Amino acid sequence: MPIDFEIGGVYLPPITQALLLAIPIFMVLDWGLRRLGVLRRVWHEALFEGALYACVCATLILLMGA
């Protein structure tokens, strides 16, 4: 079971931890997809990036629960 972390007197629940951890992972994936030219073939780039971030967050949440 994930635990709450305290940073400067502020408790971070597991969902916030997953959302913050997903940012650098998403940025690396986004950079890689841009370098490969995948995002040029996507119909709506912002929608694709939002879905990618949601997938990364969901994966981290599932991994944290295991």
Side-chain angles (χ1 to χ4, degrees):
M1 180 173 145
I3 58 171
D4 294 341
F5 284 112
E6 179 187 356
I7 298 177
V10 177
Y11 286 100
L12 294 176
I15 186 80
T16 306
Q17 297 168 25
L19 293 174
L20 291 175
L21 182 59
I23 292 172
I25 296 170
F26 165 74
M27 292 176 75
V28 169
L29 284 174
D30 186 53
W31 177 80
L33 291 175
R34 286 185 190 280
R35 295 276 298 178
L36 292 173
V38 173
L39 292 181
R40 282 184 279 160
R41 302 193 181 277
V42 172
W43 171 69
H44 198 292
E45 186 177 327
L47 186 62
F48 180 81
E49 288 179 343
L52 180 63
Y53 182 71
C55 289
V56 171
C57 288
T59 303
L60 287 175
I61 291 169
L62 286 173
L63 290 175
M64 288 173 67

